[in-house]
Amino acid sequence: MGLLERLRKEWFILGIVLVIAVARLEPGVGVKGGPLKPEITITYIAVSAIFFNSGLSLKTEELTSALMHVKLHLFVQIFTLVFFPTAIWVFLQLLSITPINEWLLKGLQTVGCMPPPVSSAVILTKAVGGNEAAAIFNSAFGSFLGIVITPLLLLLFLGSSSSVPFTSIFSQLFMTVVVPLIIGQIVRRYIKDWLERKKPPFGAISSCVLLMIIYTTFCDTFANPNIDLDKFSLIIIVFIIFSVQMSFMFLTFLFSTRNNSTFTPADTVAIVFCSTHKSLTLGIPMLKIVFAGYEYLSLISVPLLIYHPAQILLGSLLVPTIKSWMVSRQK
């Protein structure tokens, strides 16, 4: 693969680096109250646009074929939204006595609370030849669950920002997440044929809006002289994230391949990717709502920004190995 093709493929990750660099150079543009007016354009318009786009792109009509696989769905959703955040919370109790930046540790907890992503787990499951229908179902169903459960988990494990009351958080979540998602699904019913024919770049649209949200979040950070991120903490967090991903992928693999398991090798592939992947597209807007007013919001966001490319990188590297295993088991 040529350099230009690689850059084109990884444009979003490069975009994250670029918008953070631009925010560092000129934070005044995207800061709260600045020319971009992020308190309106980002908090309401950008977040609503992401979830309207999600509503348009979610193919809920295709999920009925995967509905019967209840045991697999229960395993994925319980692991993702119960075991994962709880295990991270226990782990963080041990890390709290270390000199690692406390806001990055809080960010690790937010990673644990996130739902599965709509795309990456499905793409990797398909690349291996796993149970794609199950991956699509769990990604979409997990996204819907996450709209309600993720904010509750964030409030349970971390609390909310003192400047935003609980009722305000959920009213904003309803107006900027639930309503646009429902409208998107309704619109999809009427233009489904056109969408299937034209295949709009939903992923690229959401990614561009997401880059705007990341940019303004880091503008607030760099405009605040009290915030300092030490390199030691950042390096340790990167190591922890890769370790957590590898450990949880191995754990889900062991559970789904044990002797009394009824899962097929194709099921195992879907389970490994769907249970351990976390959504950046849904996660960043939710953090923006739940932690509105937190001066350390960008530091809390850092682990999720690292987790996203890490899960794609690890998954891509493991595709040939997992594919060889699945083929050997199916013979």
Side-chain angles (χ1 to χ4, degrees):
M1 185 184 289
L3 179 62
L4 197 63
E5 192 179 340
R6 170 62 67 182
L7 291 174
R8 194 181 292 119
K9 189 177 180 183
E10 307 297 345
W11 72 270
F12 179 63
I13 294 168
L14 291 171
I16 292 175
V17 175
L18 182 63
V19 296
I20 293 173
V22 173
R24 180 73 181 90
L25 290 171
E26 194 55 61
V29 177
V31 79
K32 191 174 181 181
L36 283 182
K37 301 289 181 195
E39 60 272 23
I40 296 168
T41 57
I42 299 299
T43 304
Y44 295 99
I45 299 171
V47 174
S48 298
I50 279 182
F51 287 97
F52 174 73
N53 190 52
S54 294
L56 271 180
S57 60
L58 277 174
K59 299 180 180 181
T60 44
E61 65 273 8
E62 291 183 2
L63 303 182
T64 48
S65 62
L67 270 172
M68 302 306 292
H69 224 135
V70 178
K71 188 179 174 184
L72 187 152
H73 307 325
L74 278 174
F75 180 96
V76 170
Q77 299 306 327
I78 290 171
F79 190 95
T80 306
L81 296 170
V82 179
F83 177 82
F84 203 128
T86 306
I88 293 293
W89 181 82
V90 172
F91 184 45
L92 291 184
Q93 303 315 298
L94 301 173
L95 290 179
S96 62
I97 60 171
T98 67
I100 300 171
N101 186 293
E102 66 167 309
W103 299 104
L104 290 180
L105 292 180
K106 287 179 186 289
L108 274 178
Q109 184 64 70
T110 67
V111 170
C113 298
M114 293 301 150
V118 175
S119 57
S120 64
V122 176
I123 291 166
L124 290 168
T125 301
K126 186 176 182 178
V128 173
N131 189 336
E132 190 183 353
I136 291 170
F137 179 90
N138 281 286
S139 294
F141 184 60
S143 297
F144 282 121
L145 274 182
I147 289 166
V148 177
I149 294 176
T150 293
L152 290 173
L153 289 172
L154 290 170
L155 293 167
L156 173 67
F157 287 109
L158 296 167
S160 69
S161 60
S162 56
S163 61
V164 184
F166 187 84
T167 50
S168 176
I169 289 170
F170 275 90
S171 62
Q172 191 177 339
L173 275 170
F174 183 75
M175 292 307 297
T176 59
V177 176
V178 179
V179 171
L181 194 77
I182 292 170
I183 293 172
Q185 280 285 284
I186 292 168
V187 172
R188 180 180 172 79
R189 289 185 64 183
Y190 291 99
I191 61 168
K192 188 173 75 173
D193 291 340
W194 181 85
L195 291 173
E196 293 298 322
R197 197 166 60 250
K198 296 292 183 180
K199 300 191 186 308
F202 292 117
I205 293 167
S206 285
S207 295
C208 288
V209 179
L210 200 56
L211 288 175
M212 281 180 59
I213 297 174
I214 293 166
Y215 168 68
T216 57
T217 300
F218 277 86
C219 281
D220 283 335
T221 300
F222 294 128
N224 187 339
N226 299 321
I227 293 177
D228 181 42
L229 176 59
D230 62 291
K231 291 181 177 64
F232 166 77
S233 292
L234 191 59
I235 292 166
I236 295 296
I237 289 294
V238 171
F239 175 75
I240 289 170
I241 283 170
F242 275 94
S243 300
V244 164
Q245 281 194 30
M246 288 297 292
S247 301
F248 282 2
M249 287 179 85
F250 184 63
L251 191 62
T252 52
F253 179 81
L254 283 181
F255 267 107
S256 58
T257 55
R258 65 192 191 280
N259 290 334
N260 59 343
S261 169
T262 56
F263 298 126
T264 65
D267 293 340
T268 295
V269 173
I271 286 168
V272 167
F273 289 127
C274 291
S275 301
T276 58
H277 279 216
K278 294 292 184 176
S279 177
L280 181 71
T281 310
L282 302 180
I284 293 293
M286 283 190 181
L287 291 180
K288 196 83 174 172
I289 295 168
V290 176
F291 296 111
Y294 256 45
E295 64 174 341
Y296 293 100
L297 173 60
S298 61
L299 292 190
I300 292 174
S301 307
V302 165
L304 187 57
L305 292 173
I306 296 169
Y307 197 95
H308 174 76
Q311 69 189 8
I312 295 170
L313 176 63
L314 266 179
S316 301
L317 290 173
L318 289 171
V319 162
T321 306
I322 297 173
K323 193 169 189 173
S324 299
W325 168 82
M326 194 182 79
V327 170
S328 67
R329 285 291 299 268
Q330 288 176 332
K331 283 179 179 176

